Amino acid sequence: IETIKFLMSDDCCSDLINVNLTNTSGETGLYWACLSGNYTVVKVLLQDARVDPFLSDHHFNWSPLMIATFYGETQIFASFI
């Protein structure tokens, strides 16, 4: 977590990192953090104004919030509100 925070900080290279980068399926880091139930990473990512929580995957057109809801990740769901 500290590494993620550092890489996203102004002290490192925040202007060089695309926090909304997707894989070939359109899944972002936030998407995968929600899918894996990693509340700590979700919380860190959502604190960055550059992160777009509405980007959806290419297969089902699901956003990270939809993934968290589908898998019953209530703590993650609440972090979006």
PDB file of all heavy atoms in Angstrom, residues 12-49:
ATOM      1  N   CYS A  12       6.838  11.484  -6.163  1.00  0.00           N
ATOM      2  CA  CYS A  12       7.423  10.492  -7.068  1.00  0.00           C
ATOM      3  C   CYS A  12       7.171  10.866  -8.516  1.00  0.00           C
ATOM      4  O   CYS A  12       7.875  11.665  -9.095  1.00  0.00           O
ATOM      5  CB  CYS A  12       6.849   9.107  -6.773  1.00  0.00           C
ATOM      6  SG  CYS A  12       7.454   7.823  -7.891  1.00  0.00           S
ATOM      7  N   CYS A  13       6.181  10.265  -9.065  1.00  0.00           N
ATOM      8  CA  CYS A  13       5.958  10.408 -10.511  1.00  0.00           C
ATOM      9  C   CYS A  13       4.481  10.394 -10.853  1.00  0.00           C
ATOM     10  O   CYS A  13       4.079   9.790 -11.842  1.00  0.00           O
ATOM     11  CB  CYS A  13       6.681   9.285 -11.229  1.00  0.00           C
ATOM     12  SG  CYS A  13       6.515   7.679 -10.444  1.00  0.00           S
ATOM     13  N   SER A  14       3.676  11.056 -10.044  1.00  0.00           N
ATOM     14  CA  SER A  14       2.224  11.022 -10.258  1.00  0.00           C
ATOM     15  C   SER A  14       1.822  11.522 -11.637  1.00  0.00           C
ATOM     16  O   SER A  14       0.837  11.065 -12.210  1.00  0.00           O
ATOM     17  CB  SER A  14       1.504  11.825  -9.182  1.00  0.00           C
ATOM     18  OG  SER A  14       1.825  13.196  -9.287  1.00  0.00           O
ATOM     19  N   ASP A  15       2.593  12.452 -12.185  1.00  0.00           N
ATOM     20  CA  ASP A  15       2.251  12.974 -13.507  1.00  0.00           C
ATOM     21  C   ASP A  15       2.592  12.002 -14.634  1.00  0.00           C
ATOM     22  O   ASP A  15       2.162  12.181 -15.765  1.00  0.00           O
ATOM     23  CB  ASP A  15       2.926  14.324 -13.746  1.00  0.00           C
ATOM     24  CG  ASP A  15       4.439  14.273 -13.589  1.00  0.00           C
ATOM     25  OD1 ASP A  15       4.936  13.396 -12.851  1.00  0.00           O
ATOM     26  OD2 ASP A  15       5.118  15.112 -14.201  1.00  0.00           O
ATOM     27  N   LEU A  16       3.337  10.952 -14.326  1.00  0.00           N
ATOM     28  CA  LEU A  16       3.720   9.965 -15.332  1.00  0.00           C
ATOM     29  C   LEU A  16       2.864   8.699 -15.291  1.00  0.00           C
ATOM     30  O   LEU A  16       2.934   7.875 -16.198  1.00  0.00           O
ATOM     31  CB  LEU A  16       5.184   9.563 -15.143  1.00  0.00           C
ATOM     32  CG  LEU A  16       6.210  10.690 -15.228  1.00  0.00           C
ATOM     33  CD1 LEU A  16       7.593  10.163 -14.896  1.00  0.00           C
ATOM     34  CD2 LEU A  16       6.185  11.331 -16.607  1.00  0.00           C
ATOM     35  N   ILE A  17       2.078   8.558 -14.230  1.00  0.00           N
ATOM     36  CA  ILE A  17       1.302   7.337 -14.045  1.00  0.00           C
ATOM     37  C   ILE A  17      -0.135   7.549 -14.496  1.00  0.00           C
ATOM     38  O   ILE A  17      -0.801   8.487 -14.070  1.00  0.00           O
ATOM     39  CB  ILE A  17       1.333   6.889 -12.565  1.00  0.00           C
ATOM     40  CG1 ILE A  17       2.750   6.475 -12.198  1.00  0.00           C
ATOM     41  CG2 ILE A  17       0.352   5.758 -12.317  1.00  0.00           C
ATOM     42  CD1 ILE A  17       2.918   6.067 -10.764  1.00  0.00           C
ATOM     43  N   ASN A  18      -0.605   6.673 -15.374  1.00  0.00           N
ATOM     44  CA  ASN A  18      -1.998   6.700 -15.812  1.00  0.00           C
ATOM     45  C   ASN A  18      -2.788   5.799 -14.868  1.00  0.00           C
ATOM     46  O   ASN A  18      -2.777   4.580 -15.003  1.00  0.00           O
ATOM     47  CB  ASN A  18      -2.121   6.210 -17.254  1.00  0.00           C
ATOM     48  CG  ASN A  18      -3.547   6.189 -17.744  1.00  0.00           C
ATOM     49  OD1 ASN A  18      -4.474   6.475 -16.997  1.00  0.00           O
ATOM     50  ND2 ASN A  18      -3.726   5.836 -19.002  1.00  0.00           N
ATOM     51  N   VAL A  19      -3.466   6.405 -13.914  1.00  0.00           N
ATOM     52  CA  VAL A  19      -4.199   5.629 -12.910  1.00  0.00           C
ATOM     53  C   VAL A  19      -5.436   4.948 -13.492  1.00  0.00           C
ATOM     54  O   VAL A  19      -6.031   4.106 -12.830  1.00  0.00           O
ATOM     55  CB  VAL A  19      -4.597   6.499 -11.695  1.00  0.00           C
ATOM     56  CG1 VAL A  19      -3.371   6.962 -10.941  1.00  0.00           C
ATOM     57  CG2 VAL A  19      -5.449   7.675 -12.137  1.00  0.00           C
ATOM     58  N   ASN A  20      -5.793   5.298 -14.724  1.00  0.00           N
ATOM     59  CA  ASN A  20      -6.942   4.689 -15.390  1.00  0.00           C
ATOM     60  C   ASN A  20      -6.537   3.732 -16.507  1.00  0.00           C
ATOM     61  O   ASN A  20      -7.372   3.353 -17.336  1.00  0.00           O
ATOM     62  CB  ASN A  20      -7.858   5.789 -15.942  1.00  0.00           C
ATOM     63  CG  ASN A  20      -8.452   6.614 -14.831  1.00  0.00           C
ATOM     64  OD1 ASN A  20      -9.061   6.087 -13.913  1.00  0.00           O
ATOM     65  ND2 ASN A  20      -8.252   7.920 -14.894  1.00  0.00           N
ATOM     66  N   LEU A  21      -5.282   3.336 -16.511  1.00  0.00           N
ATOM     67  CA  LEU A  21      -4.793   2.400 -17.517  1.00  0.00           C
ATOM     68  C   LEU A  21      -5.594   1.100 -17.441  1.00  0.00           C
ATOM     69  O   LEU A  21      -5.903   0.622 -16.353  1.00  0.00           O
ATOM     70  CB  LEU A  21      -3.311   2.113 -17.275  1.00  0.00           C
ATOM     71  CG  LEU A  21      -2.597   1.293 -18.342  1.00  0.00           C
ATOM     72  CD1 LEU A  21      -2.510   2.088 -19.644  1.00  0.00           C
ATOM     73  CD2 LEU A  21      -1.207   0.933 -17.863  1.00  0.00           C
ATOM     74  N   THR A  22      -5.937   0.555 -18.595  1.00  0.00           N
ATOM     75  CA  THR A  22      -6.719  -0.684 -18.623  1.00  0.00           C
ATOM     76  C   THR A  22      -5.937  -1.804 -19.295  1.00  0.00           C
ATOM     77  O   THR A  22      -5.023  -1.554 -20.075  1.00  0.00           O
ATOM     78  CB  THR A  22      -8.042  -0.497 -19.400  1.00  0.00           C
ATOM     79  OG1 THR A  22      -7.750  -0.206 -20.765  1.00  0.00           O
ATOM     80  CG2 THR A  22      -8.885   0.607 -18.794  1.00  0.00           C
ATOM     81  N   ASN A  23      -6.348  -3.023 -18.996  1.00  0.00           N
ATOM     82  CA  ASN A  23      -5.818  -4.164 -19.730  1.00  0.00           C
ATOM     83  C   ASN A  23      -6.646  -4.319 -21.002  1.00  0.00           C
ATOM     84  O   ASN A  23      -7.511  -3.486 -21.293  1.00  0.00           O
ATOM     85  CB  ASN A  23      -5.816  -5.429 -18.856  1.00  0.00           C
ATOM     86  CG  ASN A  23      -7.204  -5.853 -18.418  1.00  0.00           C
ATOM     87  OD1 ASN A  23      -8.223  -5.405 -18.941  1.00  0.00           O
ATOM     88  ND2 ASN A  23      -7.267  -6.732 -17.424  1.00  0.00           N
ATOM     89  N   THR A  24      -6.426  -5.364 -21.759  1.00  0.00           N
ATOM     90  CA  THR A  24      -7.135  -5.536 -23.040  1.00  0.00           C
ATOM     91  C   THR A  24      -8.638  -5.753 -22.843  1.00  0.00           C
ATOM     92  O   THR A  24      -9.409  -5.592 -23.787  1.00  0.00           O
ATOM     93  CB  THR A  24      -6.551  -6.706 -23.849  1.00  0.00           C
ATOM     94  OG1 THR A  24      -6.601  -7.890 -23.052  1.00  0.00           O
ATOM     95  CG2 THR A  24      -5.127  -6.412 -24.273  1.00  0.00           C
ATOM     96  N   SER A  25      -9.052  -6.084 -21.640  1.00  0.00           N
ATOM     97  CA  SER A  25     -10.474  -6.277 -21.339  1.00  0.00           C
ATOM     98  C   SER A  25     -11.134  -5.009 -20.806  1.00  0.00           C
ATOM     99  O   SER A  25     -12.316  -5.022 -20.464  1.00  0.00           O
ATOM    100  CB  SER A  25     -10.651  -7.406 -20.325  1.00  0.00           C
ATOM    101  OG  SER A  25     -10.182  -8.618 -20.858  1.00  0.00           O
ATOM    102  N   GLY A  26     -10.354  -3.938 -20.685  1.00  0.00           N
ATOM    103  CA  GLY A  26     -10.901  -2.675 -20.201  1.00  0.00           C
ATOM    104  C   GLY A  26     -10.967  -2.584 -18.690  1.00  0.00           C
ATOM    105  O   GLY A  26     -11.668  -1.735 -18.145  1.00  0.00           O
ATOM    106  N   GLU A  27     -10.249  -3.445 -18.002  1.00  0.00           N
ATOM    107  CA  GLU A  27     -10.279  -3.482 -16.538  1.00  0.00           C
ATOM    108  C   GLU A  27      -9.142  -2.630 -15.969  1.00  0.00           C
ATOM    109  O   GLU A  27      -7.992  -2.785 -16.358  1.00  0.00           O
ATOM    110  CB  GLU A  27     -10.160  -4.930 -16.052  1.00  0.00           C
ATOM    111  CG  GLU A  27     -11.271  -5.801 -16.596  1.00  0.00           C
ATOM    112  CD  GLU A  27     -10.946  -7.278 -16.585  1.00  0.00           C
ATOM    113  OE1 GLU A  27      -9.766  -7.644 -16.430  1.00  0.00           O
ATOM    114  OE2 GLU A  27     -11.873  -8.075 -16.743  1.00  0.00           O
ATOM    115  N   THR A  28      -9.493  -1.748 -15.057  1.00  0.00           N
ATOM    116  CA  THR A  28      -8.517  -0.859 -14.421  1.00  0.00           C
ATOM    117  C   THR A  28      -8.007  -1.471 -13.115  1.00  0.00           C
ATOM    118  O   THR A  28      -8.516  -2.502 -12.643  1.00  0.00           O
ATOM    119  CB  THR A  28      -9.164   0.495 -14.092  1.00  0.00           C
ATOM    120  OG1 THR A  28     -10.232   0.278 -13.150  1.00  0.00           O
ATOM    121  CG2 THR A  28      -9.696   1.187 -15.334  1.00  0.00           C
ATOM    122  N   GLY A  29      -7.050  -0.799 -12.519  1.00  0.00           N
ATOM    123  CA  GLY A  29      -6.573  -1.218 -11.200  1.00  0.00           C
ATOM    124  C   GLY A  29      -7.691  -1.180 -10.169  1.00  0.00           C
ATOM    125  O   GLY A  29      -7.806  -2.064  -9.317  1.00  0.00           O
ATOM    126  N   LEU A  30      -8.530  -0.150 -10.256  1.00  0.00           N
ATOM    127  CA  LEU A  30      -9.667  -0.047  -9.333  1.00  0.00           C
ATOM    128  C   LEU A  30     -10.629  -1.209  -9.538  1.00  0.00           C
ATOM    129  O   LEU A  30     -11.126  -1.793  -8.578  1.00  0.00           O
ATOM    130  CB  LEU A  30     -10.383   1.289  -9.524  1.00  0.00           C
ATOM    131  CG  LEU A  30     -11.599   1.532  -8.637  1.00  0.00           C
ATOM    132  CD1 LEU A  30     -11.221   1.488  -7.155  1.00  0.00           C
ATOM    133  CD2 LEU A  30     -12.258   2.859  -8.986  1.00  0.00           C
ATOM    134  N   TYR A  31     -10.865  -1.563 -10.773  1.00  0.00           N
ATOM    135  CA  TYR A  31     -11.732  -2.698 -11.097  1.00  0.00           C
ATOM    136  C   TYR A  31     -11.206  -3.968 -10.424  1.00  0.00           C
ATOM    137  O   TYR A  31     -11.950  -4.695  -9.769  1.00  0.00           O
ATOM    138  CB  TYR A  31     -11.784  -2.865 -12.611  1.00  0.00           C
ATOM    139  CG  TYR A  31     -12.689  -3.956 -13.119  1.00  0.00           C
ATOM    140  CD1 TYR A  31     -13.959  -3.658 -13.588  1.00  0.00           C
ATOM    141  CD2 TYR A  31     -12.269  -5.288 -13.159  1.00  0.00           C
ATOM    142  CE1 TYR A  31     -14.795  -4.650 -14.087  1.00  0.00           C
ATOM    143  CE2 TYR A  31     -13.094  -6.284 -13.642  1.00  0.00           C
ATOM    144  CZ  TYR A  31     -14.355  -5.957 -14.104  1.00  0.00           C
ATOM    145  OH  TYR A  31     -15.178  -6.948 -14.586  1.00  0.00           O
ATOM    146  N   TRP A  32      -9.900  -4.213 -10.576  1.00  0.00           N
ATOM    147  CA  TRP A  32      -9.309  -5.428 -10.008  1.00  0.00           C
ATOM    148  C   TRP A  32      -9.271  -5.394  -8.491  1.00  0.00           C
ATOM    149  O   TRP A  32      -9.436  -6.430  -7.837  1.00  0.00           O
ATOM    150  CB  TRP A  32      -7.913  -5.676 -10.592  1.00  0.00           C
ATOM    151  CG  TRP A  32      -8.044  -6.433 -11.861  1.00  0.00           C
ATOM    152  CD1 TRP A  32      -8.031  -5.922 -13.127  1.00  0.00           C
ATOM    153  CD2 TRP A  32      -8.272  -7.830 -11.991  1.00  0.00           C
ATOM    154  NE1 TRP A  32      -8.236  -6.921 -14.039  1.00  0.00           N
ATOM    155  CE2 TRP A  32      -8.389  -8.115 -13.372  1.00  0.00           C
ATOM    156  CE3 TRP A  32      -8.409  -8.870 -11.093  1.00  0.00           C
ATOM    157  CZ2 TRP A  32      -8.620  -9.384 -13.855  1.00  0.00           C
ATOM    158  CZ3 TRP A  32      -8.628 -10.149 -11.583  1.00  0.00           C
ATOM    159  CH2 TRP A  32      -8.738 -10.401 -12.950  1.00  0.00           C
ATOM    160  N   ALA A  33      -9.068  -4.225  -7.920  1.00  0.00           N
ATOM    161  CA  ALA A  33      -9.095  -4.117  -6.457  1.00  0.00           C
ATOM    162  C   ALA A  33     -10.495  -4.446  -5.937  1.00  0.00           C
ATOM    163  O   ALA A  33     -10.644  -5.136  -4.928  1.00  0.00           O
ATOM    164  CB  ALA A  33      -8.668  -2.723  -6.020  1.00  0.00           C
ATOM    165  N   CYS A  34     -11.518  -3.975  -6.639  1.00  0.00           N
ATOM    166  CA  CYS A  34     -12.897  -4.292  -6.256  1.00  0.00           C
ATOM    167  C   CYS A  34     -13.194  -5.770  -6.446  1.00  0.00           C
ATOM    168  O   CYS A  34     -13.810  -6.406  -5.591  1.00  0.00           O
ATOM    169  CB  CYS A  34     -13.880  -3.457  -7.069  1.00  0.00           C
ATOM    170  SG  CYS A  34     -13.903  -1.717  -6.650  1.00  0.00           S
ATOM    171  N   LEU A  35     -12.750  -6.317  -7.562  1.00  0.00           N
ATOM    172  CA  LEU A  35     -12.983  -7.726  -7.864  1.00  0.00           C
ATOM    173  C   LEU A  35     -12.335  -8.642  -6.830  1.00  0.00           C
ATOM    174  O   LEU A  35     -12.906  -9.645  -6.418  1.00  0.00           O
ATOM    175  CB  LEU A  35     -12.454  -8.056  -9.263  1.00  0.00           C
ATOM    176  CG  LEU A  35     -12.643  -9.488  -9.755  1.00  0.00           C
ATOM    177  CD1 LEU A  35     -14.126  -9.808  -9.907  1.00  0.00           C
ATOM    178  CD2 LEU A  35     -11.923  -9.685 -11.073  1.00  0.00           C
ATOM    179  N   SER A  36     -11.152  -8.270  -6.376  1.00  0.00           N
ATOM    180  CA  SER A  36     -10.440  -9.106  -5.410  1.00  0.00           C
ATOM    181  C   SER A  36     -10.820  -8.799  -3.966  1.00  0.00           C
ATOM    182  O   SER A  36     -10.328  -9.452  -3.050  1.00  0.00           O
ATOM    183  CB  SER A  36      -8.928  -8.951  -5.600  1.00  0.00           C
ATOM    184  OG  SER A  36      -8.535  -7.620  -5.297  1.00  0.00           O
ATOM    185  N   GLY A  37     -11.675  -7.796  -3.771  1.00  0.00           N
ATOM    186  CA  GLY A  37     -12.107  -7.467  -2.418  1.00  0.00           C
ATOM    187  C   GLY A  37     -11.058  -6.752  -1.597  1.00  0.00           C
ATOM    188  O   GLY A  37     -11.088  -6.806  -0.370  1.00  0.00           O
ATOM    189  N   ASN A  38     -10.142  -6.066  -2.260  1.00  0.00           N
ATOM    190  CA  ASN A  38      -9.059  -5.394  -1.553  1.00  0.00           C
ATOM    191  C   ASN A  38      -9.466  -3.964  -1.191  1.00  0.00           C
ATOM    192  O   ASN A  38      -9.167  -3.001  -1.893  1.00  0.00           O
ATOM    193  CB  ASN A  38      -7.792  -5.397  -2.400  1.00  0.00           C
ATOM    194  CG  ASN A  38      -6.576  -5.047  -1.593  1.00  0.00           C
ATOM    195  OD1 ASN A  38      -6.638  -4.245  -0.670  1.00  0.00           O
ATOM    196  ND2 ASN A  38      -5.448  -5.651  -1.942  1.00  0.00           N
ATOM    197  N   TYR A  39     -10.140  -3.848  -0.050  1.00  0.00           N
ATOM    198  CA  TYR A  39     -10.672  -2.565   0.399  1.00  0.00           C
ATOM    199  C   TYR A  39      -9.580  -1.513   0.560  1.00  0.00           C
ATOM    200  O   TYR A  39      -9.778  -0.353   0.201  1.00  0.00           O
ATOM    201  CB  TYR A  39     -11.422  -2.756   1.720  1.00  0.00           C
ATOM    202  CG  TYR A  39     -11.816  -1.455   2.366  1.00  0.00           C
ATOM    203  CD1 TYR A  39     -12.863  -0.691   1.842  1.00  0.00           C
ATOM    204  CD2 TYR A  39     -11.152  -0.979   3.484  1.00  0.00           C
ATOM    205  CE1 TYR A  39     -13.226   0.508   2.410  1.00  0.00           C
ATOM    206  CE2 TYR A  39     -11.510   0.225   4.066  1.00  0.00           C
ATOM    207  CZ  TYR A  39     -12.552   0.961   3.526  1.00  0.00           C
ATOM    208  OH  TYR A  39     -12.902   2.153   4.098  1.00  0.00           O
ATOM    209  N   THR A  40      -8.436  -1.910   1.067  1.00  0.00           N
ATOM    210  CA  THR A  40      -7.356  -0.955   1.314  1.00  0.00           C
ATOM    211  C   THR A  40      -6.894  -0.301   0.020  1.00  0.00           C
ATOM    212  O   THR A  40      -6.723   0.915  -0.047  1.00  0.00           O
ATOM    213  CB  THR A  40      -6.178  -1.648   2.018  1.00  0.00           C
ATOM    214  OG1 THR A  40      -6.663  -2.291   3.204  1.00  0.00           O
ATOM    215  CG2 THR A  40      -5.112  -0.656   2.408  1.00  0.00           C
ATOM    216  N   VAL A  41      -6.706  -1.080  -1.021  1.00  0.00           N
ATOM    217  CA  VAL A  41      -6.281  -0.530  -2.309  1.00  0.00           C
ATOM    218  C   VAL A  41      -7.399   0.323  -2.906  1.00  0.00           C
ATOM    219  O   VAL A  41      -7.140   1.404  -3.444  1.00  0.00           O
ATOM    220  CB  VAL A  41      -5.844  -1.640  -3.284  1.00  0.00           C
ATOM    221  CG1 VAL A  41      -5.580  -1.082  -4.672  1.00  0.00           C
ATOM    222  CG2 VAL A  41      -4.600  -2.347  -2.755  1.00  0.00           C
ATOM    223  N   VAL A  42      -8.635  -0.130  -2.816  1.00  0.00           N
ATOM    224  CA  VAL A  42      -9.767   0.659  -3.317  1.00  0.00           C
ATOM    225  C   VAL A  42      -9.787   2.024  -2.646  1.00  0.00           C
ATOM    226  O   VAL A  42      -9.930   3.054  -3.303  1.00  0.00           O
ATOM    227  CB  VAL A  42     -11.110  -0.076  -3.085  1.00  0.00           C
ATOM    228  CG1 VAL A  42     -12.296   0.838  -3.369  1.00  0.00           C
ATOM    229  CG2 VAL A  42     -11.194  -1.331  -3.935  1.00  0.00           C
ATOM    230  N   LYS A  43      -9.631   2.031  -1.339  1.00  0.00           N
ATOM    231  CA  LYS A  43      -9.651   3.281  -0.580  1.00  0.00           C
ATOM    232  C   LYS A  43      -8.554   4.238  -1.044  1.00  0.00           C
ATOM    233  O   LYS A  43      -8.802   5.431  -1.252  1.00  0.00           O
ATOM    234  CB  LYS A  43      -9.493   2.966   0.910  1.00  0.00           C
ATOM    235  CG  LYS A  43      -9.646   4.127   1.820  1.00  0.00           C
ATOM    236  CD  LYS A  43      -9.592   3.653   3.263  1.00  0.00           C
ATOM    237  CE  LYS A  43      -9.300   4.796   4.199  1.00  0.00           C
ATOM    238  NZ  LYS A  43      -9.143   4.353   5.569  1.00  0.00           N
ATOM    239  N   VAL A  44      -7.346   3.716  -1.243  1.00  0.00           N
ATOM    240  CA  VAL A  44      -6.225   4.544  -1.708  1.00  0.00           C
ATOM    241  C   VAL A  44      -6.508   5.086  -3.105  1.00  0.00           C
ATOM    242  O   VAL A  44      -6.315   6.271  -3.373  1.00  0.00           O
ATOM    243  CB  VAL A  44      -4.900   3.740  -1.696  1.00  0.00           C
ATOM    244  CG1 VAL A  44      -3.801   4.477  -2.439  1.00  0.00           C
ATOM    245  CG2 VAL A  44      -4.476   3.444  -0.265  1.00  0.00           C
ATOM    246  N   LEU A  45      -6.992   4.239  -3.994  1.00  0.00           N
ATOM    247  CA  LEU A  45      -7.258   4.673  -5.364  1.00  0.00           C
ATOM    248  C   LEU A  45      -8.365   5.723  -5.429  1.00  0.00           C
ATOM    249  O   LEU A  45      -8.268   6.696  -6.179  1.00  0.00           O
ATOM    250  CB  LEU A  45      -7.605   3.477  -6.249  1.00  0.00           C
ATOM    251  CG  LEU A  45      -6.459   2.505  -6.527  1.00  0.00           C
ATOM    252  CD1 LEU A  45      -6.969   1.280  -7.269  1.00  0.00           C
ATOM    253  CD2 LEU A  45      -5.348   3.179  -7.307  1.00  0.00           C
ATOM    254  N   LEU A  46      -9.410   5.542  -4.637  1.00  0.00           N
ATOM    255  CA  LEU A  46     -10.519   6.491  -4.672  1.00  0.00           C
ATOM    256  C   LEU A  46     -10.156   7.853  -4.077  1.00  0.00           C
ATOM    257  O   LEU A  46     -10.857   8.837  -4.314  1.00  0.00           O
ATOM    258  CB  LEU A  46     -11.745   5.913  -3.960  1.00  0.00           C
ATOM    259  CG  LEU A  46     -12.473   4.795  -4.701  1.00  0.00           C
ATOM    260  CD1 LEU A  46     -13.608   4.258  -3.859  1.00  0.00           C
ATOM    261  CD2 LEU A  46     -12.978   5.273  -6.050  1.00  0.00           C
ATOM    262  N   GLN A  47      -9.064   7.915  -3.340  1.00  0.00           N
ATOM    263  CA  GLN A  47      -8.613   9.202  -2.791  1.00  0.00           C
ATOM    264  C   GLN A  47      -7.927  10.058  -3.851  1.00  0.00           C
ATOM    265  O   GLN A  47      -7.736  11.247  -3.645  1.00  0.00           O
ATOM    266  CB  GLN A  47      -7.669   8.977  -1.609  1.00  0.00           C
ATOM    267  CG  GLN A  47      -8.372   8.448  -0.385  1.00  0.00           C
ATOM    268  CD  GLN A  47      -7.409   8.069   0.727  1.00  0.00           C
ATOM    269  OE1 GLN A  47      -6.199   8.047   0.544  1.00  0.00           O
ATOM    270  NE2 GLN A  47      -7.955   7.770   1.883  1.00  0.00           N
ATOM    271  N   ASP A  48      -7.596   9.463  -4.977  1.00  0.00           N
ATOM    272  CA  ASP A  48      -6.937  10.189  -6.057  1.00  0.00           C
ATOM    273  C   ASP A  48      -8.003  10.690  -7.031  1.00  0.00           C
ATOM    274  O   ASP A  48      -8.735   9.901  -7.627  1.00  0.00           O
ATOM    275  CB  ASP A  48      -5.953   9.270  -6.780  1.00  0.00           C
ATOM    276  CG  ASP A  48      -5.067  10.009  -7.759  1.00  0.00           C
ATOM    277  OD1 ASP A  48      -5.581  10.847  -8.528  1.00  0.00           O
ATOM    278  OD2 ASP A  48      -3.857   9.731  -7.761  1.00  0.00           O
ATOM    279  N   ALA A  49      -8.093  11.992  -7.181  1.00  0.00           N
ATOM    280  CA  ALA A  49      -9.127  12.597  -8.034  1.00  0.00           C
ATOM    281  C   ALA A  49      -9.006  12.186  -9.493  1.00  0.00           C
ATOM    282  O   ALA A  49      -9.975  12.291 -10.256  1.00  0.00           O
ATOM    283  CB  ALA A  49      -9.066  14.114  -7.919  1.00  0.00           C
TER     284      ALA A  49
END
